[in-house]
Amino acid sequence: METKCAMGCPWRIYGSWMKRDLTFIVKSYNDEHICSRNMTNRQATTRWMSKYYVEKFRRNTNWSVKEMEKDLLTKFYLSISRMKAYRSKWEALRKLQGSIEEHYAMLGLYLEQLRIVNPTSMFSIVYKRAFTGAHSVFQHLYIGFDGLKKGFMHGCRPIIGFDGCFLKTFLGGQLLSTVGRDHNNQMFPIAWAVVEGENYHAWSWFLGILFDDLAIDPGYDLTLISDQQKGLDYATKQRVPGAEHRNCACHIYAN
């Protein structure tokens, strides 16, 4: 078996299969190259690149095709067209989007299992009708374990901190969380929720379930701490008008 380089280049390798030794032996090899490196490869298909970079896009969905082209050039000395890079990115994002939608579809079963093993805990999921089609899509999710509720009510100070962060997925959304302060001045998680966005409607829904579960109304002797989240101030005034609401000093200093 013989393999050569491009026309006019002396690079050559020749080998053969040895039946007696059951091995392949290279019998001659010339490693001299006089041709320039070929920066294209037909095996670098859109399917291969989307599979290779799918985990990269899972960690950073905003990773640009320009950075992908640079990475291919650095690792594999491979040059691809801009359109091929876009197709590879779209294919990788399509794979990720499909897997995330499948995972969200299993939330109902997940909550049912939680209710079986935590019958006194508070779990809630809200769906809404999709704009196209007859199926429903996920909107809100609330998780409040009974053990955390009892720990806050019997072992924490009357202080609740609120915060929210973005969910870096294709479906977007935000994670809302509440924490208390125990008598050792340590943070104590209370409950959390996944919502479409940080606004009055989302906070009002979250606070309604939270304060009903904690039996707090109208919130006298309760202090709330937050980072000026959108819609939170008005939602707390509507739900617990007797609570004192203050902004986090660390966030005020940082901003």
Side-chain angles (χ1 to χ4, degrees), residues 135-249:
H135 65 283
S136 298
V137 296
F138 169 82
Q139 186 176 18
H140 298 327
L141 171 68
Y142 178 92
I143 301 292
F145 290 100
D146 188 62
L148 296 177
K149 178 182 70 174
K150 292 179 179 178
F152 171 75
M153 296 175 67
H154 301 294
C156 290
R157 302 176 182 180
I159 299 174
I160 299 179
F162 297 93
D163 203 357
C165 65
F166 292 100
L167 295 176
K168 296 183 178 180
T169 67
F170 297 94
L171 303 181
Q174 288 203 336
L175 176 68
L176 307 182
S177 61
T178 59
V179 295
R181 303 288 282 185
D182 61 19
H183 290 285
N184 290 324
N185 205 32
Q186 301 296 315
M187 289 190 297
F188 187 88
I190 305 173
W192 54 91
V194 176
V195 297
E196 287 182 303
E198 190 177 0
N199 49 48
Y200 166 75
H201 176 72
W203 278 114
S204 180
W205 174 83
F206 181 40
L207 297 180
I209 300 178
L210 174 68
F211 290 129
D212 285 345
D213 196 30
L214 298 177
I216 296 178
D217 188 24
Y220 296 116
D221 299 326
L222 177 67
T223 300
L224 308 178
I225 303 176
S226 68
D227 179 31
Q228 297 180 329
Q229 275 80 13
K230 298 177 181 178
L232 176 60
D233 185 56
Y234 186 64
T236 54
K237 289 180 180 178
Q238 294 291 318
R239 185 58 183 79
V240 281
E244 184 177 2
H245 196 171
R246 291 290 181 263
N247 293 326
C248 175

Side-chain angles (χ1 to χ4, degrees), residues 63-89:
W63 199 51
S64 67
V65 295
K66 186 176 181 180
E67 292 174 309
M68 183 173 68
E69 292 172 350
K70 183 178 179 180
D71 191 72
L72 286 169
L73 193 61
T74 303
K75 290 182 178 179
F76 306 107
Y77 300 99
L78 180 64
S79 177
I80 62 173
S81 66
R82 181 58 58 87
M83 184 55 65
K84 192 172 186 178
Y86 274 115
R87 288 199 301 266
S88 302
K89 179 177 180 178

